[in-house]
Amino acid sequence: MIRDNIKNIDTYKDISPLFREATEIMKKIWAGDKAPCDTVVVQEGRLTYRILLNENRKNPVGARFEAHRRFIDVHFLLEGSEAAHISDPKDLTETVPYIEERDIAFYEGDKALTMPLV
């Protein structure tokens, strides 16, 4: 997990070729070159990303967690703050088994670390 400020984004660009592409997209969005909307799924090269604004966040108790095997989630705040609720899947109850074509499994539980994102 990486938690940092957009000012340091270039520090992480060499993690992988796809992450380099992702850092360039985040820098464009941060600079205002792309106007986000409420929800949009964008395909750029080999990356797919979704922009969500004003998404209602759940309380971590009883919240639905997700896990991926092939891809990563990048949470990138343009303004305001929110919290990420993180847990090890082995401490949770699997509610939807891994779906390979979507690269996702879902879990429920109340054992979470809450990390503020600002």
Side-chain angles (χ1 to χ4, degrees):
M1 172 173 289
I2 299 169
R3 181 182 180 272
D4 206 339
N5 188 293
I6 188 66
K7 296 172 191 168
N8 303 320
I9 194 70
D10 285 332
T11 303
Y12 308 102
K13 67 184 177 189
D14 293 325
I15 288 174
S16 77
L18 285 177
F19 204 77
R20 179 181 291 270
E21 290 179 44
T23 61
E24 292 304 314
I25 291 168
M26 286 184 279
K27 287 193 296 190
K28 287 179 185 177
I29 292 170
W30 186 256
D33 293 344
K34 295 182 179 198
C37 61
D38 283 343
T39 303
V40 64
V41 176
V42 181
Q43 295 262 326
E44 285 201 14
R46 299 170 293 160
L47 297 177
T48 301
Y49 63 95
R50 183 176 179 200
I51 299 170
L52 300 172
L53 295 181
N54 302 321
E55 185 179 10
N56 293 328
R57 300 289 176 199
K58 294 180 182 177
N59 182 315
V61 175
R64 187 165 143 165
F65 292 87
E66 62 185 59
H68 308 281
R69 295 181 186 169
R70 296 187 337 249
F71 299 106
I72 61 169
D73 279 339
V74 176
H75 293 247
F76 172 63
L77 296 178
L78 294 173
E79 61 184 30
S81 64
E82 69 175 61
H85 308 295
I86 304 159
S87 189
D88 188 323
K90 67 183 174 204
D91 294 330
L92 303 170
T93 302
E94 185 179 68
T95 57
V96 178
Y98 182 71
I99 304 166
E100 187 170 349
E101 56 275 359
R102 291 184 55 211
D103 184 45
I104 197 164
F106 292 98
Y107 303 82
E108 289 182 355
D110 58 6
K111 189 173 183 180
L113 167 69
T114 300
M115 181 174 61
L117 305 174
V118 291

